[in-house]
Amino acid sequence: MIAKLTGRLDSSGAGHAVIDVGGVGYLVEASARTLDALGPTGGEVTIHTEMLVGEDFLRLLGFAKAEERDWFRLLTSVQGVGAKVALAILSALEVADLQRALASGDSAMIARANGVGPKLAQRIAHELKDKAGTLGGIAGGGPALSAAPGPLGDAVAALTGLGFKPGEASAAVAAANEELGAGAGLDALVRAALKKAAK
């Protein structure tokens, strides 16, 4: 949403901002990095949102970048990681640092975040090492093709839908794209990537 920032609360660490959208104020939870990126109070902001709905609550979370929102969703897919912990991790670590920590299995880096103990950090590192390839290509060391528009992203989605790990799917599609060249269609990419992944 594009809105106007009208106030901040708890700006040290994960906290809240009040966003004015057409005269209606929304209380938005955000990481410290997002709060810093929003700029001065009264300025116009663009914020990517996620709404959490429970039996007795509605919570609106805000992110300065769509990439940060994607990482929030990935983090909260891990058992024991709720919105508060995910925002704490995103406050403590830049996305690139989080990608490196997951790629190397560095749970100590993840444990730097408030509320993240060693066991939870290990679980996050273990569970997301392969899944994080969809957001950064780290599992296979290749490019982040799942976020690519058009046939490349669709081919990665097709392979992950068939049960391949995101890193394997990205690597296979990258190899197929290199072999077929730019402009290859989705069907050709998927067929070639399946052959590459089967080797």
Side-chain angles (χ1 to χ4, degrees):
M1 72 173 71
I2 299 176
K4 188 176 182 181
L5 179 64
T6 60
R8 298 172 194 269
L9 304 166
D10 308 323
S11 59
S12 60
H16 300 81
V18 178
I19 307 292
D20 179 335
V21 182
V24 178
Y26 292 91
L27 182 66
V28 178
E29 292 180 61
S31 71
R33 293 184 190 283
T34 288
L35 291 174
D36 288 343
L38 290 180
T41 300
E44 191 172 280
V45 295
T46 299
I47 191 161
H48 303 270
T49 58
E50 178 87 356
M51 181 173 280
L52 302 182
V53 180
E55 284 186 27
D56 56 352
F57 69 86
L58 287 173
R59 291 168 68 188
L60 190 61
L61 291 94
F63 305 92
K65 298 177 183 174
E67 179 185 32
E68 185 185 15
R69 182 181 59 192
D70 293 342
W71 277 96
F72 172 84
R73 290 173 177 165
L74 192 60
L75 286 165
T76 55
S77 73
V78 176
Q79 182 182 354
V81 179
K84 184 176 180 181
V85 170
L87 288 176
I89 292 169
L90 292 169
S91 292
L93 298 172
E94 293 273 1
V95 166
D97 294 333
L98 182 55
Q99 287 176 327
R100 278 193 292 278
L102 292 171
S104 63
D106 186 355
S107 59
M109 183 178 277
I110 298 166
R112 290 180 189 171
N114 290 337
V116 180
K119 286 185 179 179
L120 181 56
Q122 286 176 347
R123 185 185 311 140
I124 292 167
H126 175 72
E127 287 190 27
L128 297 186
K129 183 167 187 172
D130 292 327
K131 289 183 183 178
T134 61
L135 297 179
I138 63 169
L145 295 179
S146 63
L152 293 177
D154 292 342
V156 172
L159 264 66
T160 55
L162 292 171
F164 288 93
K165 292 180 179 175
E168 294 171 339
S170 289
V173 171
N177 186 53
E178 189 174 314
E179 179 181 294
L180 298 173
L186 176 60
D187 291 344
L189 276 171
V190 171
R191 279 196 298 273
L194 284 169
K195 290 177 185 173
K196 299 284 183 189
K199 290 182 181 178

